[in-house]
Amino acid sequence: MSRQDGMADGRAAIVALPVDDATLAAWHVLAQDAGAANPFYAPAGVAAGQLLPESGRVRLLFVWQGARLIGALPLRTKTARGVALFVENWDQRLRALGEPLVLPGHEAAFWQAALPALARAPGQWLRLSALDRDSASTRELLAVLGARGRPVYETRRYARAVLHAGLSSAEHAAQHVRGKVLKEHRRLRARLADRGTLRFERLAAGEDVGPWVDALFALEQTGWKGREGVAAAADPATEACFRAMIAAAHAAGELDFHRMTVGGQPIAMLANLERGDEAFQLKIAYDEEWASFSPGVLIEMEYLAYALDVRRLLRVDSCARAGHPMIDRIWPDRRTIVSLIVPHPTLRSRLLCSAQAMWRARRQRALNRDMIETAA
């Protein structure tokens, strides 16, 4: 379907990649203006993610109001033995957020148009993963479903660390990091400076990003990811995806790349994707030979000062797993991430999703009993 077909009556259109130049330009604009920043669903993020084998056949749900693109969501149909099971917001291993790109104030209009189109897509139900529970889009989705009397099932929920604006870095440290810990950080920095000149540097706009990425991957190989064969450089597809995402962000002026060196030797690096006044931590790595100096913590503390005092970002998403042992201690705020199952408005879909919900509930009760018995 062309952009003009999707525009004709203002309804949603599900299209295949690649899209035409006019649609691509509108998608770029939407990615910049969306109420919930999501670089993983911007054109460059989708292009990079398609380099991964699990990306599958990606399609795009676009919602237009006249000539204006108000919403976009990459999609994939999950199949088993050639049968379409469900349609879902596109997922792959580097995607940290599944929020659709929606213009602020148009969230209800987006879902009112999107839900009927998604119900016509192949699959028995709709799965939406890695949503921000408190985003305007998720709130409006639940409101639209509620107004139509449609059920929704939450299948996963976790909280991950985020950094919010409001305090200076000094105020943040004073309120959220124990004085004993801050003293230890100062001691570690002094010990590092004894080994050579200690520098915290940031990749310049016109600088070649390639050597920085090479150094980042080399640092990651020194740690447990390298030993277990799960570092980015251990898998050609993962490496290609990271390189493409970082290179595209750098070209667009949306890459924030930091490194910590001692005597000119990189011992910790941190790559972030920026989108407006938000940032997403894409990858952090440090040289394990320097682990006793806590280089990962030190570069995060230095970045905290940069994010709050220099860039004055409204939010930085750690993109870390729940209960991360390092970042959770220095970033006290949390972003609640949820995954939802939405039955289509058919009896078959409702019954299938209801049966799944009952199975999950029974499984959770059994797990809870096992935990109680083990503790006893």
Side-chain angles (χ1 to χ4, degrees):
M1 182 179 290
S2 69
R3 177 187 172 191
Q4 287 72 25
D5 292 333
M7 288 169 49
D9 53 11
R11 292 184 293 125
I14 297 177
V15 304
L17 287 170
V19 297
D20 60 70
D21 291 343
T23 301
L24 180 62
W27 184 12
H28 274 292
V29 172
L30 175 63
Q32 293 290 338
D33 297 340
N38 188 355
F40 306 99
Y41 282 173
V46 172
Q50 286 184 279
L51 298 173
L52 297 169
E54 73 269 20
S55 66
R57 178 171 174 261
V58 183
R59 294 177 296 160
L60 291 159
L61 167 72
F62 289 134
V63 176
W64 300 85
Q65 278 191 352
R68 192 180 192 189
L69 182 63
I70 66 165
L73 183 65
L75 303 173
R76 178 178 61 182
T77 299
K78 181 69 172 180
T79 62
R81 297 179 180 178
V83 177
L85 295 181
F86 55 86
V87 62
E88 63 178 347
N89 57 337
W90 179 57
D91 188 14
Q92 41 83 4
R93 74 189 79 163
L94 301 188
R95 186 212 65 170
L97 189 65
E99 281 286 305
L101 302 173
V102 185
L103 283 182
H106 292 76
E107 293 85 2
F110 170 77
W111 287 113
Q112 287 165 359
L115 287 170
L118 291 167
R120 293 190 295 271
Q124 302 299 315
W125 62 85
L126 170 64
R127 176 178 181 266
L128 296 168
S129 60
L131 300 181
D132 183 335
R133 182 200 62 183
D134 301 314
S135 72
S137 171
T138 302
R139 292 198 305 269
E140 285 298 339
L141 167 64
L142 297 177
V144 169
L145 291 170
R148 297 180 180 184
R150 291 179 57 181
V152 59
Y153 302 96
E154 184 178 297
T155 60
R156 189 185 184 200
R157 173 185 293 225
Y158 71 97
R160 69 184 182 214
V162 293
L163 178 67
H164 285 135
L167 301 175
S168 69
S169 61
E171 292 168 335
H172 178 98
Q175 290 190 24
H176 302 299
V177 185
R178 290 182 299 154
K180 182 179 179 181
V181 173
L182 293 174
K183 182 178 179 180
E184 176 64 9
H185 291 170
R186 291 191 293 271
R187 187 185 71 84
L188 291 172
R189 288 174 66 127
R191 285 181 58 204
L192 281 171
D194 289 339
R195 300 291 188 94
T197 303
L198 174 63
R199 287 197 176 96
F200 292 91
E201 301 165 319
R202 183 173 179 269
L203 179 69
E207 194 173 349
D208 184 4
V209 71
W212 282 60
V213 178
D214 293 342
L216 176 71
F217 289 167
L219 288 179
E220 189 177 48
Q221 288 279 22
T222 70
W224 68 268
K225 289 185 178 182
R227 291 191 297 274
E228 296 186 13
V230 295
D235 175 61
T238 303
E239 180 176 355
C241 181
F242 266 117
R243 286 188 182 275
M245 196 174 294
I246 289 173
H250 188 47
E254 296 174 341
L255 177 67
D256 182 34
F257 211 159
H258 297 256
R259 73 182 176 194
M260 174 182 171
T261 64
V262 176
Q265 176 187 349
I267 67 169
M269 300 185 76
L270 174 64
N272 306 310
L273 303 178
E274 290 193 350
R275 179 68 51 161
D277 53 13
E278 293 193 44
F280 298 79
Q281 297 212 326
L282 184 65
K283 183 169 282 293
I284 183 172
Y286 65 88
D287 189 332
E288 198 161 280
E289 290 187 4
W290 298 78
S292 62
F293 295 90
S294 299
V297 175
L298 293 182
I299 198 171
E300 283 284 12
M301 291 299 293
E302 190 72 16
Y303 172 73
L304 186 150
Y306 174 80
L308 294 180
D309 303 338
V310 179
R311 284 287 286 113
R312 299 183 182 275
L313 295 168
L314 290 183
R315 176 167 62 186
V316 182
D317 190 332
S318 70
C319 300
R321 67 181 186 275
H324 193 280
M326 183 267 284
I327 200 67
D328 277 17
R329 294 200 302 267
I330 57 178
W331 291 11
D333 295 332
R334 299 290 180 264
R335 186 178 202 176
T336 302
I337 302 297
V338 297
S339 295
L340 306 175
I341 294 292
V342 181
H344 295 319
T346 65
L347 179 60
R348 175 182 173 84
S349 183
R350 285 175 182 253
L351 290 174
L352 286 170
C353 295
S354 175
Q356 290 180 64
M358 288 189 289
W359 177 83
R360 285 192 299 270
R362 286 196 300 269
R363 184 168 179 262
Q364 187 60 52
R365 286 195 295 268
L367 289 172
N368 291 341
R369 283 197 302 270
D370 290 344
M371 290 175 62
I372 292 172
E373 291 172 0
T374 301

